[in-house]
Amino acid sequence: MTELIYMTDSYKQELMARVVSCVQKGNWWEIVLDKTIFYPQGGGQPSDKGTIKGKHGTATVKHVRMQDDEVVHECSIEGTIEIGKFVECTIDWNTRYQNMRVHSAGHVVHEAVRLVAPYLDPIKGEHGKTAYIQYQGSLPIDKKTRIEQQANDLINQNLHLKTEFVTLDELKARASYIPEHLPKHKPLRILSIGEYPPIPDGGTQVKTTNEIGEITIPSIDNTVDQVRVYYTVASETENKDATADQSIAAPQFIGLLLDAEREAKELVAESDKSAEELRIMLLGPKSELGRLTKQIRQVPAADRANVGVVVNQVKQSIEQAICNNPFTHSPIHPSSDSWIDVTLPGNRPPEGHLHIVSQAIMEITRIFERIGFTRVRHPEVDWDWYAFESLNMPPESPARDEWETFFIQYPGKPKERHSGGRRPIESRGDPIAPPNAGLQDDRKTGQMVLTPHTSNGQVREMEKGKLPIRMINIAKCYRRQSDVSHVPMLHQFEGLYIDKNVSIGDLKGVIDYFFKQYYGPERKSRLRPFHFQFTEPSFEVDINCGVCLGRGCKFCKEGWVELAGAGMVHPTVIKNGGLDPQVYNGFAFGWGIERVAMMKSGTQLDDIRLLYSNDVRFLEQF
Ligand code: DAH
């Protein structure tokens, strides 16, 4: 049995090992050692190459494979390799490091796919020259950009890749998916990226995601019932160039682009070269513009999209100058004055993507699902009882003023309110009868509202009678307000956890988990005492500022930014949900999706209504 050194140390490039066997097979040799740093092809990762040097000969390792519990090095040999003797092994580090980066990138892409399309089941991955992950199911090809963004987001967070050896039971308990065939002769190992759930893995991996560099998703390929998500990573030298510390600020970079444009146009005006020659000289990969285009990765990620637009404008304007110049002529149609360059890339049809709020809803749902919360839906037009009264806010409560509520005239509403007792409501059979019509008591026959918050889901969820409750209710909410910082229709997500012996510590733990997953591992939360009618104690939740990380800057108040409301569910609310507050307790929180999502992208909107203005120029930036 060969000891697999690469599984514990993927950076080891040299090793002394003892030769167990060396057998000639046709015109090549097969060497088995007592331990090895050579990776045998498998799990989608290509095998290593390198040399094995003995006292009287050198073997060049061309390919490595696993055979039962032994690693077989397929080699050509100059001289002799002696059995039982020590040899010096060296792997071709460039090949290995590239393979390692591509393999780790595969795991990052997989996490990104899971964030965008959690319903897909992975089947296999290929991490060689052509790299892809294959899933059961299908995926719209317009998800390409989103997956690429998510993958590069993970790269930029510089997450750690950690491997651990585990027993089969541990693997089954911890891994996010179990492949059909687990290796029989290798130790079982799991890999986790940052705080994402571990995945079984036996390959070689880099230590941190920034070693991978920028990931591109060139295509998504659907067959009848499976889909491949192809990915590429920049070569190591390109990556080094890109991560070198000379970052360029966007305005400076745009300045360089405009200089290049001016110089190119001057050259066109003075030149007597053909259009094709000018195009190669001014727009080709070796031109100044080509060189700048490659450097775009040095611009901070947040500004790259805008700078990309300028790059394209400059390209078009140089192209235009070449076409308009009377002295340049096209070799394609030399005699015609209107010409077509068939080698120019075609116009790309516009590609859409999900609205930023829908993207956030999917991501938030995923994050809470990982800790056992389930997304539920409750009515967005609901009885006053659920929106207010059951939450400890009777009609006369001044607390209601916080919510500028739209009240709905419900035609089936009885003229007088009954006082207690169950009876069918008058609107039975009414086509627009709201949820529960005809079934519930008179508490649900009062006024109806467009839900001003998602907290109406609390008592509704408790009424289902299924315990413990771990719900995440995401819905539209409506408030009679519209100005630069308010929209009349907004989205909230409401978390509710009801069980026995729930503590404030549990609430803090869940909030911390969400912040780290959604905003990044360096973010922290703090609970500030507050008041809500439906929680006791109540808190406002703050997050440490993403710009100064808590030190205090002009974007925040002393390092903290207010995000949301939360608290321990009030006993009256629990009672209204039909549960015994002596036995059950829990926590709840309710946050605005728009605010949470804008904070994540670091966008400071002058007018929040832009989000719903359907202006593609605005929306396509997210
Ligand atoms: N419903 C509150 C609002 O719209 C937010 C909220 C605060 C929800 C505290 C909660 C909570 O569940 O515990 O402003």
Side-chain angles (χ1 to χ4, degrees), residues 403 452-455 458 479 492 494-495 532 534-535 565-567 588-590:
W403 292 274
H453 58 176
T454 42
S455 303
Q458 293 194 13
R479 297 184 189 179
Q492 280 193 342
E494 184 89 8
F532 293 105
F534 35 97
T535 42
F589 51 85

Side-chain angles (χ1 to χ4, degrees), residues 467-468 497-503 506 580 582-586:
L467 286 153
Y497 177 37
I498 302 284
D499 204 344
K500 293 176 181 161
N501 303 320
V502 180
S503 73
D506 297 323
D580 181 353
Q582 303 289 349
V583 182
Y584 291 101
N585 75 333

Side-chain angles (χ1 to χ4, degrees), residues 422-436:
R422 279 175 184 268
R423 61 174 183 78
I425 66 167
E426 290 159 23
S427 61
R428 219 172 205 186
D430 186 326
I432 63 152
N436 298 336

Side-chain angles (χ1 to χ4, degrees), residues 62-81:
K62 305 254 164 87
H63 185 259
V64 187
R65 64 174 204 272
M66 192 90 201
Q67 189 167 311
D68 299 331
D69 58 356
E70 283 182 335
V71 175
V72 179
H73 306 79
E74 298 167 11
C75 323
S76 62
I77 298 184
E78 298 250 332
T80 50
I81 295 287

Side-chain angles (χ1 to χ4, degrees), residues 167-186:
T167 61
L168 182 61
D169 286 343
E170 264 176 295
L171 186 143
K172 283 186 181 157
R174 292 179 59 193
S176 64
Y177 98 101
I178 319 282
E180 227 174 280
H181 304 290
L182 283 164
K184 286 203 189 74
H185 300 291
K186 280 192 196 172

